Amino acid sequence: MSYTVVIVDDEKMISEGIASLFPWNQIGFQAVSFSDARLALGYIKSNHVDVLLSDIEMPGMNGIELCEEVKDLGIIVVFISSHQNYDYFRSAIQYHIEDYILKPIKSSDILQCFGKIKDKLDAVNKIDEAKPESYYDNIRKSVEQYLEKEYKDAKLEQAAVLVNLSPAYLSKLLRDKFGTGFSDWLLEIRMKKAAGMLTDVNYKSYDIAYYIGYDNPKSFSRAFKNYYGMTPMEYRSGKIKQD
Amino acid sequence: MLPVLIISAISIGITSSFISDALDRSGEETVKAVSNNVNLSLSNILQQNSQFANNPYMILSLKRILANGDHIMYSDAINIRSINASLKSIMSTYQYVSSVYLYLDGYESYYTSSQRIEKINDSDIWWQEYQNMAEDEDTMAVVLDDNKNKPDSRYLTLYQRMPLYSGVVVMTIDLDEYGSMLDSLTTNTRGTIVFANLSHQLLFCRGQNSEDAANIDISDIAEDGRWMRINGNNYLVHQTINDNYNIQIVYIIPAVMLLNNMMAYIPLMLLIIAAGIISAMASAYVTTKRNFNYINYIVMVLADAENGRYPEITESEKANDEYDLILNNIIRLHLKTEKLNNELEQKRHAEEVASLTALQAQINPHFMFNTLQMIQIEAVKGGQQAEGVIQMTSDLADIMKYALSDPLCPITLNEEIAYLKKYVAIQKRRFGDRFIIYYEVEEQMYEFPVFRLMLQPIIENAILHGVRYKDERGYIKLVIFRRNGNIMFRVFDSGVGMSRERLKQVRESIGSFNIHNIGLSNVNNRLKLYYGEQSALTIISAKGEGTIVKFSIPEDKIQIQATKS
């Protein structure tokens, strides 16, 4: 079952771009895009639409006017805005909009926002999709690969984009299915990598924090000591002596 | 001695003019008081009328009673009872009201406050006057001799037409009674009150000079508070018109009163003159002595002020004499200079904010973010390798959002560092691993309020002028910690450093207040503006070794800044 999302932005390139380049199908949505709010309104009135994702500043009919027109249709509205403008947010609150996304839109923004919307719609429509075990295994493999490769700058949001899930959902899934949270998993990989680098004299010890993704060497030392029970320096001198 | 005499003479003149003024004022006040009294005491007639206006059933009841005499219905009896109650209360409260009549046009009877229906007799004087009342007038005041109740009494009779129905409420006032009540208002000035209607017909007079007053030419009284000659005597005349009843009220005060009042002041005045002479002599001695003391004191204060010591006298302190005044002026001048300096500083700040805002306004943010969005979409079309472009555009967008926000809106150090890391992320794409930046920030520092773009220009400087030209890998470290009530900020870089001459140049350029001089000097100026001179940037550098840029902010200044914003 997929839900329909109508995307409106007066820049045709943006509305079509958002519709075609984000993996809507994989997160359970079907996207239709318009570059004119009045055409979008015509579509909404004659088709079943679940979500409206609309820019605010548009010539002709703007996002707030469009929102006013569809307010009785029970459509979930998300605004796209260029920057934080309090007037918009006041209108946004007035029309009970679901959420807003700031331009430029990132995949993680979409996944986060629409993950929540899908849960909400599923709850309304009483849908509880059961997934095969292989689905979860694939997610686990993807995340593991990502962490092994990108441990330096790894972020939950990025991992979530890779598997087309909202960050919150991915985090919950990892904890429920595999018993370890994203950050614990990342820490484990980082500490193993750090230990490996400490035994390699080609790495300056001062640089290792940076290589494994810490921007404060003191936090790295603290984390390392917590994990291995000794400071990175103690670990290094111990290993070198063994050799 | 001479001045004392002159002053005495002047004071006599002033006193007499004061007494005449006072008389004038009290005449004016009496007229107003009488008018108010008329409003108050005669308001019953209005009250009676408004009762009818608000309740048409009463009129209907009155109609039936006047028509049928004693044969009245139950509901009418109720209404009549309420009319009676109100009439009765008027009569008992105001002794001078002798009777109230209610009459509806066309009937042969009228209703009286003595709770009787009386047949109209053509010889009734009130009735004759009512027949003569002009159609277009709502109210009328006449004085009638009515011997029916009390021989030789005169009555002020007020007519007011009913508002809804053609009929009239008539109130007769016993002038003897009313006059004695008015006497209480005129005891101070012993003048005479004259009532006249608007056609300048005299209604009645009350007071000691009634005979003269009876001859007053009412039509001649145009302005207030002037002297008039009546029957060879001089009078101070005041008047007012009571709009509610169309009555002109005149009050005349005899000229003798002025003389009488003056006489009362003469012994007192003589006493004052004598006291004046004595005190003048005494004070002359005291003043001269005191003057010398004060002059010495002022010379001392001025000498102190020249040396930068200011006496601790608050501005609100009241000046007791001319010397305090002089001192206060000197202090005020000093404070004013301080204030002007302050204002100048504020103005500079305002100009800076204005130019920042102008800079922001030059680029339409909507256009920029849309463009970034398009770049990102184009990049995604390009495939998986586009990840870097996407990250860069999103970092750039975040930086722009941050930089475009209200420059006065306070932010925390945490936000500033988050923004700084995005900026560094973009620079890293240019320089790769050629430099490493570490942030050593004490945990509890993150919530401190700071101003926007406080650290980024310093880091930018370290990257572009420090580690960039280094052959081996460069290190930059931002350290923020608390020490002795100060928040200390340090940016170390292991870059190429600066020669002594170059360092001197840089130090000079960041010290000038110039908004076009961006980067370090901008940060430096804002630090000084927000936290004072002691927070200015300090730069230490050695050629080939690296550079340290540091500053500190007193914690109490941070709190103040936060509450200001």
Side-chain angles (χ1 to χ4, degrees), chain A residues 71-130:
Chain A
K71 69 174 178 199
D72 296 327
L73 299 177
I75 294 175
I76 293 175
V77 179
V78 178
F79 275 148
I80 313 169
S81 175
S82 306
H83 56 300
Q84 291 177 328
N85 180 325
Y86 286 107
D87 288 338
Y88 293 157
F89 292 125
R90 221 172 290 132
S91 314
I93 289 161
Q94 198 182 324
Y95 289 111
H96 305 288
I97 69 146
E98 181 74 14
D99 207 346
Y100 61 88
I101 301 176
L102 293 177
K103 271 186 192 173
I105 304 172
K106 291 177 243 171
S107 300
S108 58
D109 292 338
I110 296 269
L111 289 172
Q112 177 123 34
C113 175
F114 281 81
K116 268 191 284 174
I117 291 175
K118 183 161 193 303
D119 286 347
K120 201 169 175 181
L121 288 170
D122 282 349
V124 171
N125 294 312
K126 299 199 167 57
I127 289 171
D128 192 10
E129 284 175 275

Side-chain angles (χ1 to χ4, degrees), chain B residues 473-487:
Chain B
R473 169 176 290 169
Y475 294 91
I476 298 171
K477 192 159 77 167
L478 168 69
V479 185
I480 302 171
F481 59 100
R482 181 194 255 148
R483 184 192 287 165
N484 300 334
N486 287 300
I487 316 285

Side-chain angles (χ1 to χ4, degrees), chain B residues 62 65-66 69-70 80 83-84 87-88 91 98-103 108-120 124 126 148-149:
Chain B
L62 187 63
I65 291 159
L66 294 184
D70 292 335
I80 285 302
I83 294 174
N84 279 340
L87 290 182
K88 212 166 160 183
M91 307 295 292
S98 102
S99 57
V100 179
Y101 306 149
L102 305 175
Y103 173 69
E108 289 175 346
S109 308
Y110 61 104
Y111 193 82
T112 76
S113 51
S114 40
Q115 300 173 30
R116 275 183 312 193
I117 298 161
E118 284 194 33
K119 272 257 176 292
I120 289 174
D124 285 343
W126 76 266
K148 200 163 146 193
N149 299 325

Side-chain angles (χ1 to χ4, degrees), chain A residues 11 13-14 17 21 57 82 102-106 158 206-207 209-211 214-218, chain B residues 366 369-370 373-374 376-378 380 387 391 394 397 401 421 428 433 436 438-440 473 475 477:
Chain A
E11 297 282 349
M13 195 176 153
I14 292 178
L21 296 172
E57 281 178 276
S82 306
L102 293 177
K103 271 186 192 173
I105 304 172
K106 291 177 243 171
Q158 285 298 319
Y206 192 62
D207 295 359
Y210 166 75
Y211 283 127
Y214 280 85
D215 56 19
N216 184 347
K218 287 183 178 170
Chain B
H366 189 66
F369 292 116
N370 267 349
Q373 180 75 71
M374 286 190 230
Q376 198 173 322
I377 286 167
E378 280 299 299
V380 174
E387 197 49 49
Q391 195 54 48
S394 102
K401 274 170 204 163
K421 286 179 178 172
K428 285 239 109 183
D433 286 345
I436 289 176
Y438 283 137
Y439 307 85
E440 289 184 20
R473 169 176 290 169
Y475 294 91
K477 192 159 77 167

Side-chain angles (χ1 to χ4, degrees), chain B residues 402-421:
Chain B
Y402 186 81
L404 285 171
S405 310
D406 180 0
L408 289 183
C409 176
I411 48 142
T412 62
L413 186 57
N414 199 13
E415 290 170 274
E416 173 70 7
I417 289 177
Y419 153 75
L420 180 61
K421 286 179 178 172

Side-chain angles (χ1 to χ4, degrees), chain A residues 132-144:
Chain A
E133 246 356 85
S134 63
Y135 169 80
Y136 298 110
D137 276 347
N138 284 336
I139 286 175
R140 185 197 160 95
K141 268 181 206 142
S142 301
V143 173
E144 193 165 17

